[in-house]
Amino acid sequence: MEESKRDKEEEEEEEEEIWSWGAGTDGQLGTTRLEDEQLPQLLLDHPSSFFSVGPISLLACDGAHVLALTTDGKVVTWGRGTSGRLGHGDMFSILKPKHVKSLESLVITHVSAGWSHSGFVSDTGCLFTCGDGSFGQLGHGDCNSHCSPLKVSYFDSKHVDQIACGMRHSLVLMKGDTVFGFGSGKRGQLGVSMDNIISISLPQATVGLEGVEIVSIDANGDHSDGHLYTWGRGFGNTSNVHCPRRLPSSLCFIQVALGWNHMLVLTGGGEVFMLGGNNHGVLGDPQKGSLVKHLCEESRGEALVKVQGLDGSKVVQIAAGAEHSALVTEN
């Protein structure tokens, strides 16, 4: 009896909390208010919003909308609804989490939010997309938009593992390490060809990653990443890269996060490094930045910079927004 009571108390202590802050005029903060929040808001203080949603295993945020994946594989969305990005069959914005009904019969294992489109991967390896398709970023072979998640038939005989939605493009990681890109390719963010590609609406395999074990992909703005291979719009004043290019480093990286103009990488030792600009203080304290090394001779000035001010703290998770950064430490 005593042990049961102790277990119950420990479960209560570990109960998750969801906080949000920043721009909220489209309802994307989940507070049920159409207003910005300067300070973090505890969303569980709004029972009308999160009652019955259940434990959340993954949150995906981008262009004024949010996708939340529950531990039992269900999806809820809220925020700006234009182009049908929320997946509810309409283009209305909503202020509180709502289950995506067309996905309720499936077990979803991964979700990603782009600027105005969304992607969902099921446990059987199927990919579904919805929202703005004007650049072919939904992968259906056309430039149509969809208000409900539609299965991407191109991958019918393949097993999708992850999706990463950028501003106007999408990347897909297959079981077996192949990466596909589709959507806008104006800045080389698809990684499918050395040639200038305006856009493609059917998935096409990236080039230059043959024989490389890919563990994760990320996309934001007009560039992409596949476990320290980057391509697309150059950081800072560097030129665009049309095919995946490895960033040589003696460090061991375990996580990556992409913003519009900067990238964060996390080492196995809990240190954080940044590649890209610091126009809005995304680095933390630019006076304390420590230049580590040039990545390679042909990198045209690209260099990793260690994020300072974290002495004694082991970072376990990183995140990058358009022009800001956040991290979680072990303690």
Side-chain angles (χ1 to χ4, degrees), residues 222-246:
D222 291 323
H223 40 232
S224 311
D225 182 89
H227 199 56
L228 283 186
Y229 280 75
T230 65
W231 59 96
R233 188 178 66 183
F235 293 103
N237 296 320
T238 61
S239 57
N240 300 336
V241 178
H242 290 265
C243 290
R245 184 187 64 190
R246 184 173 178 269

Side-chain angles (χ1 to χ4, degrees), residues 61-67 80-87 90-91 112-120 129-138 144-148 165-170 220-221 260:
C61 314
D62 204 318
H65 72 295
V66 182
L67 314 179
R80 183 185 296 168
T82 53
S83 302
R85 70 188 77 183
L86 298 181
D90 55 42
M91 293 188 286
S112 180
W115 181 251
S116 56
H117 69 294
S118 305
F120 315 87
T129 58
C130 65
D132 181 21
S134 56
F135 289 85
Q137 64 264 51
L138 300 186
N144 297 329
S145 299
H146 295 276
C147 296
S148 293
C165 299
M167 180 177 285
R168 302 180 186 92
H169 75 294
S170 302
N220 200 340
W260 279 3

Side-chain angles (χ1 to χ4, degrees), residues 69-101:
L69 178 63
T70 68
T71 54
D72 61 352
K74 304 308 174 188
V75 179
V76 293
T77 65
W78 65 94
R80 183 185 296 168
T82 53
S83 302
R85 70 188 77 183
L86 298 181
H88 299 306
D90 55 42
M91 293 188 286
F92 298 117
S93 298
I94 57 175
L95 305 183
K96 56 185 180 182
K98 180 179 178 181
H99 282 275
V100 180
K101 290 184 179 180

Side-chain angles (χ1 to χ4, degrees), residues 4-243:
S4 176
K5 183 179 179 181
R6 192 183 305 116
D7 290 343
K8 186 176 180 181
E9 289 175 350
E10 288 177 358
E11 285 180 10
E12 289 176 353
E13 287 177 2
E14 293 175 0
E15 190 172 286
E16 72 177 14
E17 293 181 344
I18 301 176
W19 300 74
S20 68
W21 63 96
T25 53
D26 287 283
Q28 63 266 49
L29 296 184
T31 61
T32 72
R33 299 189 297 269
L34 293 172
E35 57 187 50
D36 299 343
E37 297 290 350
Q38 302 297 322
L39 297 175
Q41 303 294 306
L42 179 60
L43 298 189
L44 294 182
D45 281 347
H46 303 272
S48 62
S49 298
F50 281 84
F51 187 78
S52 84
V53 166
I56 303 296
S57 62
L58 176 64
L59 285 171
C61 314
D62 204 318
H65 72 295
V66 182
L67 314 179
L69 178 63
T70 68
T71 54
D72 61 352
K74 304 308 174 188
V75 179
V76 293
T77 65
W78 65 94
R80 183 185 296 168
T82 53
S83 302
R85 70 188 77 183
L86 298 181
H88 299 306
D90 55 42
M91 293 188 286
F92 298 117
S93 298
I94 57 175
L95 305 183
K96 56 185 180 182
K98 180 179 178 181
H99 282 275
V100 180
K101 290 184 179 180
S102 63
L103 298 176
E104 285 191 338
S105 62
L106 305 171
V107 176
I108 302 300
T109 57
H110 193 260
V111 298
S112 180
W115 181 251
S116 56
H117 69 294
S118 305
F120 315 87
V121 179
S122 73
D123 62 341
T124 57
C126 296
L127 174 65
F128 300 81
T129 58
C130 65
D132 181 21
S134 56
F135 289 85
Q137 64 264 51
L138 300 186
H140 300 301
D142 54 39
C143 293
N144 297 329
S145 299
H146 295 276
C147 296
S148 293
L150 183 65
K151 185 179 178 182
V152 181
S153 60
Y154 181 88
F155 296 111
D156 279 352
S157 60
K158 301 175 177 64
H159 193 287
V160 175
D161 189 49
Q162 296 177 31
I163 176 147
C165 299
M167 180 177 285
R168 302 180 186 92
H169 75 294
S170 302
L171 296 178
V172 168
L173 175 62
M174 311 302 298
K175 189 174 183 180
D177 298 336
T178 305
V179 177
F180 286 83
F182 44 96
S184 175
K186 185 178 179 181
R187 296 181 184 274
Q189 61 265 46
L190 299 180
V192 300
S193 172
M194 288 298 294
D195 298 326
N196 245 344
I197 293 179
I198 303 301
S199 66
I200 56 175
S201 58
L202 279 175
Q204 189 171 324
T206 57
V207 295
L209 294 176
E210 297 78 7
V212 178
E213 181 183 358
I214 307 297
V215 298
S216 66
I217 54 175
D218 199 2
N220 200 340
D222 291 323
H223 40 232
S224 311
D225 182 89
H227 199 56
L228 283 186
Y229 280 75
T230 65
W231 59 96
R233 188 178 66 183
F235 293 103
N237 296 320
T238 61
S239 57
N240 300 336
V241 178
H242 290 265
C243 290

Side-chain angles (χ1 to χ4, degrees), residues 228 230 245-249 253 263 275 292-299 301-304:
L228 283 186
T230 65
R245 184 187 64 190
R246 184 173 178 269
L247 302 183
S249 174
F253 298 110
M263 176 178 72
L275 180 68
V292 177
K293 62 178 291 187
H294 286 285
L295 297 176
C296 52
E297 292 180 4
E298 62 270 25
S299 66
E302 289 183 355
L304 283 176

